[in-house]
Amino acid sequence: MIELFAVVLIALGVAVSSAWYVYARDKREKADEARLKEALESGRGIPPSLHPVIDPDVCIGSLACVKACPEGDILGIVNGAGSLIHGANCIGHGKCAAECPVDAIKLVFGSSERGVDLPEVDEVFQSSRPGVHIVGELGGMGLIKNAMTQGVQAGQYLAEILLARPSPHPVLIVGAGPAGIAAGLALAEKKVPFRIVDQQELGGTVANYPRQKLVMTEKVTLPLVGKFGKKLMSKEDLLRGFEAILKKTKLPLTTGIKVSGIDGRDGDFLVHTSQGDIPASKIVLAVG
């Protein structure tokens, strides 16, 4: 009799737990559907850069992607599967794809609403125009850590080339965001002349992010700096980090300069800006 009573209690517990799960799940889906509708109506559903696309036919709705997202409100559950809700807030951390147990998520650029037009670059980030290298978001790398890694790699490559064949002109880096700062550090480490210009301020596109927005979740190794970043780094943390880097390394940065055109050829460029022409041996476009 006691054993039968125990079995009944267990069965009742399982039934209650199942009912509560179904209720909570249904409540969450309705809330996420409302959030998605509001995001689409306000224009915040369209992602600006690298973002996840979830295959509803593969997704099992485990919530692993939702829980893994450092931003907290990007993903949700709609119609039983994961869904990108606040796409405009996504900056491509990529943790959702890494945590998905069934590989239902792919990280992509562009969307059916916005489209995307990425420039073609080779393995050293050189565009179809010799001597002009493209790194960071313009080259399709929205994740800050990876954009900085690209900047370092491009800077190291250019340093190697220019140390072997010195030029009377500096390398011109256009953009003082993560990729541009990283490229400058790589050139500074090898003592190759360069300058950085930006039409806005230090930080580039990052400076325009919403307050306290989470922008980095992993550290990156930078020349002259070492390990940079922390597990959870906000926009303000990142900008303070950049300011500390400039103070320590004295990178030659000039803000308030808008680039309007590029003439010349590899090794002997003339870059037209709002403050006059700038000669350059190589050009690194690191704008968002």
Side-chain angles (χ1 to χ4, degrees), residues 45-208:
I46 302 176
S49 185
L50 186 69
H51 65 279
V53 169
I54 304 172
D55 187 341
D57 294 328
V58 177
C59 178
I60 59 174
S62 68
L63 293 178
C65 59
V66 178
K67 295 175 181 177
C69 180
E71 297 295 320
D73 67 343
I74 305 298
L75 299 168
I77 300 295
V78 177
N79 295 325
S83 177
L84 179 64
I85 294 180
H86 286 160
N89 293 344
C90 181
I91 59 174
H93 289 290
K95 289 187 175 294
C96 54
E99 293 298 324
C100 180
V102 292
D103 295 325
I105 301 177
K106 296 187 183 299
L107 297 178
V108 304
F109 287 93
S111 65
S112 58
E113 296 91 346
R114 187 175 63 87
V116 69
D117 185 15
L118 299 178
E120 293 184 7
V121 296
D122 61 17
E123 68 279 3
V124 294
F125 312 108
Q126 183 170 235
S127 68
S128 57
R129 186 170 186 178
V132 177
H133 297 252
I134 300 175
V135 294
E137 189 169 2
L138 179 61
M141 186 50 63
L143 189 59
I144 287 177
K145 177 188 175 182
N146 291 345
M148 296 182 85
T149 299
Q150 279 192 353
V152 170
Q153 292 171 344
Q156 290 173 336
Y157 169 78
L158 293 177
E160 181 181 344
I161 293 298
L162 291 169
L163 286 173
R165 297 193 298 273
S167 169
H169 305 313
V171 175
L172 182 65
I173 300 172
V174 182
I181 294 296
L185 289 170
L187 291 166
E189 182 180 51
K190 299 298 183 180
K191 296 180 171 55
V192 173
F194 71 97
R195 64 179 298 188
I196 306 173
V197 301
D198 196 299
Q199 66 176 337
Q200 298 184 56
E201 55 187 310
L202 176 63
T205 304
V206 175
N208 296 320

Side-chain angles (χ1 to χ4, degrees), residues 246-279:
L246 256 66
K247 184 176 181 180
K248 175 182 178 180
T249 62
K250 302 295 191 292
L251 296 184
L253 166 65
T254 308
T255 57
I257 294 182
K258 181 178 181 179
V259 172
S260 58
I262 301 173
D263 284 331
R265 55 185 175 78
D266 188 8
D268 188 24
F269 289 110
L270 192 64
V271 181
H272 306 301
T273 80
S274 57
Q275 295 188 21
D277 295 339
I278 301 175

